[in-house]
Amino acid sequence: MTLPTTTPYDADRAAYSRETLARLALCSQAVDTARTASVLVATRNDVDTGLGGRASESLSLIRLAERTLVRAVVYERERGASWEDIGRYLELDPAEAEERFAPALAGWEEALETPCRLDPTGRRIVNLLPPGAHNPKGAVRDLDLWARRHLYINDRHPVSGGLSRSPAPHDLEGLIRVGEVRRFLGLLSGYLGQYLDNSAWDAIARGLEPTDDSVAAWYTHTIEGPAHTLRVRLAHARPHHSYEAVEPDTVSVVVTGSDDSALSLRVDTLLDVFGVTG
């Protein structure tokens, strides 16, 4: 059997410019670097760390910082920076800067042309685009939520707001087990000051039964509160491609309409709690 060399994110990615994809790759790499750096802040676990362990973590941080620099240079080139511009900040001659980052730029060009390929065994798809650029729609949502949690700025779109695409209310999505759907919707309704009674649940259960996310057959449940309205799309999860694996008895959930950062964080946390990793 020959696996397809396309992904479910190809169409979404086509809507983003090269510059935006490069910026999202830089954002994603910066988050990885920040997470590693944060490990070095707390001291509680020092006694559990082997001798030399903190030095090892610091070395990992340096390597991540180098990757962040590479992603930053790729982004700067995509937005029109010259090698003179880049070399000035890196204290390199333009020719030295170009030579240093030429392999990374070549890899970026290759990945844009061929986002994924089969591994040598022909059994697994390898994504060539860096995180952030591979699934930009999901990356924008995750990066905005991460920035709200950690940067403490009063901005609903701290990442997406500066991109070339206009920010829009995020779809918060995930997979949950079918047996947890009622409890999930009950808690979600409670966030908006509503109550999910038996009659409402019976209607949802009937609407959910014939759904199938692989053919875009969804059921939509609307939760109206005094300040916010959420639309919850539900469908039984099926593999979209022959190489995908989906756990049995799981439901795809997409929550739209949350344009409030505090509510978005609560919904996202709820999806994490109930979430099933595919």
Side-chain angles (χ1 to χ4, degrees), residues 23 37 87 89 106 120 130 132 139 145 154-155 157 178 190 193 214 227 252 266 272:
R23 187 62 175 94
Y89 287 103
L145 289 172
N154 186 21
D155 187 342
H157 304 281
V178 67
S214 68
S252 293
R266 298 184 76 181
D272 283 343

Side-chain angles (χ1 to χ4, degrees), residues 16 51 70 93 171 185:
Y16 291 78
L51 296 179
V70 168
D93 290 334
D171 293 347
L185 291 175

Side-chain angles (χ1 to χ4, degrees), residues 19-56:
E19 178 184 332
T20 298
L21 293 175
R23 187 62 175 94
L24 289 172
L26 171 57
C27 292
S28 182
Q29 185 60 60
V31 167
D32 285 347
T33 305
R35 285 172 174 159
T36 299
S38 67
V39 171
L40 292 166
V41 176
T43 63
R44 290 283 188 186
N45 295 326
D46 282 356
V47 295
D48 302 318
T49 304
L51 296 179
R54 294 307 188 195
S56 173

Side-chain angles (χ1 to χ4, degrees), residues 45-160:
N45 295 326
D46 282 356
V47 295
D48 302 318
T49 304
L51 296 179
R54 294 307 188 195
S56 173
E57 291 167 347
S58 298
L59 178 60
S60 296
L61 180 58
I62 292 173
R63 290 170 176 163
L64 286 170
E66 287 288 340
R67 294 177 194 170
T68 305
L69 175 59
V70 168
R71 298 266 64 90
V73 169
V74 170
Y75 165 66
E76 290 294 347
R77 289 292 292 170
E78 286 291 354
R79 74 168 182 157
S82 67
W83 288 115
E84 288 80 3
D85 296 327
I86 294 169
R88 184 184 313 118
Y89 287 103
L90 299 183
E91 299 180 351
L92 295 172
D93 290 334
E96 291 176 323
E98 183 175 4
E99 181 180 6
R100 176 176 173 181
F101 296 101
L105 285 165
W108 171 248
E109 291 288 347
E110 179 186 357
L112 289 173
E113 182 69 23
T114 308
C116 63
R117 59 172 171 79
L118 297 178
D119 72 356
T121 70
R123 299 175 181 174
R124 187 171 67 90
I125 288 183
V126 177
N127 295 316
L128 301 181
L129 281 168
H134 172 63
N135 174 15
K137 183 179 177 181
V140 166
R141 169 250 187 184
D142 291 343
L143 289 165
D144 267 345
L145 289 172
W146 186 91
R148 289 178 198 163
R149 288 190 182 110
H150 295 89
L151 302 185
Y152 304 105
I153 54 178
N154 186 21
D155 187 342
R156 289 186 302 176
H157 304 281
V159 174
S160 60

